[in-house]
Amino acid sequence: MSVKKEDIKQLLKNTKIKDVMAKPVITVKDTDDFALVQEKIALYDVRHLPVVNETGAIVGLISQRDLYQIHSPRKLEDGGWYYDKDALNQFLLKNVMHPKPFTLKPENSLYEAIDATIRFKFGCIPIVDDYKMICGILTRDKMLQFLIS
C-alpha cells in the first residue's frame, strides 16, 4: 500500500499541536541563576528551556547548545561532565537567552509547526495561550515520534 504525499500533508494539517506537544514544560525564570539552566537540562534530560517572567509568560528560550557555547563543561576522569556553578552564575540568563522566541498555539496545525521548524531551523517551538503562558513544547523529537507512530 502506497501513501500519497497529499494524504500525509492533509494528516499534518488536520493534526492539532495540542495532540502532539509535550507537557508539562520544564521552564526557568528570567531571574534564576544561570547554573539552574544546566541543572534542569541534566536533571530532566531536555535540550530546550523556555524562560518565563514573574507572571509565568514566556520571554525567552535557552538551549543546551547555547549552554555549551556560553561555558564549556570540564570532563571528569570517570568520563562524566562537570560545570563550575560559580563560573556559570557569572552570566545573567536575561542577557544570554534568545528573547521573544517564535511560538504557536495549541490549535495550530502540526503542518504549520513542521513548516516553521524547517524554514527557521528551530529545535523546538514553545506552545502558548493568548496570554503567552506556556501550554506545552513541540520538539523535533516529538514531531518525529508522531510521524513514526
Side-chain angles (χ1 to χ4, degrees), residues 6 43 58 99 110:
E6 296 82 28
L43 180 64
I58 190 166
L110 186 56

Side-chain angles (χ1 to χ4, degrees), residues 23-47:
K23 58 184 178 186
V25 182
I26 308 303
T27 62
V28 288
K29 292 184 182 147
D30 58 357
T31 55
D32 284 339
D33 288 340
F34 191 66
L36 189 58
V37 169
Q38 185 275 322
E39 289 174 24
K40 285 191 171 187
I41 285 173
L43 180 64
Y44 296 104
D45 192 27
V46 295
R47 292 192 300 252

Side-chain angles (χ1 to χ4, degrees), residues 94-109:
K94 285 182 182 181
N95 295 340
V96 295
M97 69 181 186
H98 297 279
K100 300 178 185 173
F102 178 85
T103 61
L104 287 173
K105 295 187 177 174
E107 294 300 319
N108 285 103
S109 73

Side-chain angles (χ1 to χ4, degrees), residues 24 74 118 142:
R74 295 203 173 15
I118 292 167
K142 288 301 274 183

Side-chain angles (χ1 to χ4, degrees), residues 74-99:
R74 295 203 173 15
K75 192 164 189 170
L76 300 172
E77 288 182 20
D78 68 2
W81 296 96
Y82 169 77
Y83 276 95
D84 180 339
K85 284 179 80 169
D86 292 333
L88 286 175
N89 285 334
Q90 291 177 5
F91 298 93
L92 295 176
L93 184 52
K94 285 182 182 181
N95 295 340
V96 295
M97 69 181 186
H98 297 279

